Amino acid sequence: MITLSVKNLLLIFLFIIFFAGCGSEPGKQIIFKAEKSLHHAERLFNTASIKPDLNDIETWRNVKDAYLNTITYCYTHLDSLTVDSFQTERKDLESVAFMATSRLASIYYADRKFDSSVIILNQLLSLTKLSDRALLSSQSNLARAYHADGDWTSGIDIYKSMLSTFYPPIDGENNIIKEVLNLPIELLRINIRLQNIVNTFEATESTRNYYQRLIAEWPHTDLEKEARRLLAGLLADFARWDDAIETISAIKDSTGQTRMPEAMRIADFLSRGKNNHKEAITMYEGLLERADDSALLANIYIKIAIANFNKESYSECRETLKFVKDNYFAYYKSTPLPQQYLALSLEKQNEWNRAEDEYQWLITNFPNTEMAFEAYLTIAGHYENLKNSQLTDLWYSKANEFYKKMQTEQRGTSIEASAISYQAEVARRRGEWENAAKLLEELFRRFPDQEVGIRALKSAIDIYRGKLNNPAKADSLQSLARTGT
């Protein structure tokens, strides 16, 4: 009797497993077909990317159709995989939908079809229950697509919801989610761009409160330290130097001292922010004793030289730079800063011939730098002040030729942006206001989502309104500042 019961229980158990397996088999088949569809789309994408010509309409239509087929298949079968019975399979299917949608949204974004990116990302978020990094990525991409499409309000709302959803900004492995941690500053930057004074004030307060909350609620953690660094940067942006110094002074090392990077930053705040160059130099000199790396030592000495320059101790500035050149030659040659301040200090002491030689050396050896770009204007400006029209014209012509060369060679980079900006500055100095405005517009068109482009647009608006007496054009550009398109 007992033996019979055991056999019956065993049969029942096998019966349940058999039918459970049959029940899960359709789920596995759905996942298999979804992954196969995604693999096919990825293969087409990789083939098309070998020669990424977005004008090859037929090829990229096939790529988009492949991803759309994958997405459609996933959504068609989502209801077949209920959360109660197919929790794992449903999560896998949502993961496939996420990967296909992310890829297709990026293709639409590259095509500047931002509305299409918005549609498929909204669909993904509404039909699935994503979490963690997948949710973060999808929401972030959606916000960027809204902004690119000129809908700033919707994008801002998503960013605000992300701050709430991902609080504190750490993942399941206790790693800081930097993208979320930086969001309050990004929201502030957006409101400044939109020139919304009320919202900018609110964003400033919200940003400060967000980081102060993290500092208070997560003491003695890496999250607190990162929040302090970002808050100090925000305070410095508003010239609240003492508050910024107090905020990062609390970031200590194992010996109880303010950490070396933060101590360097405090000295920078003293020098560049508070113009307390003497105290900054004293602090830099104290940091020399803590530095255990030649590159760091050289960097500190250069900062001492710059602080000496700023307090008008030009001979001491050059003496310090000579010490760096003699003792840290490799580092000296790796950065244009020493060369720039060597030239500047000579210029300040009216040794122009030597200064001009050093500026030209800077231009020759560090052509892809802001310092080289600025050196052309410095030399041209010197001769302009002397009323030497021949040399003034010569150097402005050299400058423009150089800037145009850099613009052509460095397309899509920050160097190109600088090249256009400096061409506009030459036009401004020469009183060529129409040309200056057009160059600034070009700079915005090339870099509409970057600070350099946004500043250029504002400058162009000022020129059209104030110098060219063209308020209609200024108003037209003003609308671009709000929409970003």
Side-chain angles (χ1 to χ4, degrees), residues 236-264:
D237 286 342
F238 287 89
R240 293 178 55 177
W241 304 109
D242 290 331
D243 291 336
I245 290 170
E246 181 183 356
T247 298
I248 56 173
S249 293
I251 304 177
K252 309 292 186 181
D253 61 18
S254 58
T255 68
Q257 292 179 294
T258 300
R259 287 183 74 254
M260 190 70 168
E262 281 65 50
M264 290 275 286

Side-chain angles (χ1 to χ4, degrees), residues 454-473:
I454 297 165
R455 288 198 306 269
L457 183 63
K458 291 177 181 176
S459 297
I461 292 169
D462 290 341
I463 290 174
Y464 278 114
R465 202 180 300 280
K467 295 292 183 180
L468 297 175
N469 194 27
N470 190 342
K473 179 68 173 180

Side-chain angles (χ1 to χ4, degrees), residues 313-465:
S313 299
Y314 304 121
S315 296
E316 290 180 42
C317 170
R318 287 201 301 279
E319 286 174 12
T320 305
L321 292 175
K322 184 178 184 303
F323 177 84
V324 176
K325 186 176 183 179
D326 292 343
N327 293 274
Y328 306 97
F329 186 72
Y331 189 89
Y332 184 92
K333 290 291 187 181
S334 71
T335 170
L337 268 177
Q339 187 65 31
Q340 181 190 37
Y341 277 90
L342 174 59
L344 285 168
S345 65
L346 288 167
E347 182 185 359
K348 286 292 186 180
Q349 291 190 309
N350 297 316
E351 296 189 46
W352 175 253
N353 289 336
R354 290 179 63 193
E356 184 174 333
D357 287 342
E358 299 300 343
Y359 281 128
Q360 292 196 48
W361 196 95
L362 172 63
I363 289 168
T364 301
N365 291 276
F366 296 96
N368 293 345
T369 65
E370 289 282 330
M371 292 79 167
F373 282 51
E374 188 64 31
Y376 276 102
L377 295 188
T378 300
I379 297 173
H382 172 79
Y383 289 113
E384 191 168 26
N385 290 334
L386 293 178
K387 311 296 184 184
N388 188 329
S389 59
Q390 184 176 358
L391 285 178
T392 299
D393 291 340
L394 173 65
W395 276 99
Y396 277 134
S397 295
K398 282 186 176 182
N400 264 332
E401 183 181 342
F402 173 74
Y403 301 148
K404 288 175 182 177
K405 180 174 179 287
M406 289 294 104
Q407 180 184 357
T408 301
E409 293 179 356
Q410 303 290 336
R411 297 284 290 178
T413 69
S414 60
I415 297 173
E416 182 199 359
S418 291
I420 301 172
S421 177
Y422 274 90
Q423 288 177 67
E425 175 60 16
V426 170
R428 187 193 68 79
R429 290 189 179 197
R430 305 301 279 164
E432 300 167 358
W433 296 110
E434 189 78 35
N435 187 32
K438 288 180 179 178
L439 284 163
L440 290 166
E441 278 190 77
E442 179 186 359
L443 181 51
F444 172 73
R445 304 285 183 186
R446 293 286 296 137
F447 301 92
D449 298 322
Q450 297 184 27
E451 197 63 35
V452 65
I454 297 165
R455 288 198 306 269
L457 183 63
K458 291 177 181 176
S459 297
I461 292 169
D462 290 341
I463 290 174
Y464 278 114
R465 202 180 300 280

Side-chain angles (χ1 to χ4, degrees), residues 106-142:
S106 70
I107 295 172
Y108 282 142
Y109 197 99
D111 282 345
R112 301 190 66 81
K113 295 179 180 177
F114 307 120
D115 55 340
S116 296
S117 289
V118 166
I119 290 169
I120 63 170
L121 286 166
N122 264 323
Q123 185 182 43
L124 174 71
L125 290 167
S126 64
L127 294 178
T128 62
K129 297 185 183 299
L130 299 178
S131 61
D132 301 328
R133 292 285 177 174
L135 177 60
L136 172 66
S137 175
S138 300
Q139 289 181 326
S140 181
N141 288 337
L142 178 58

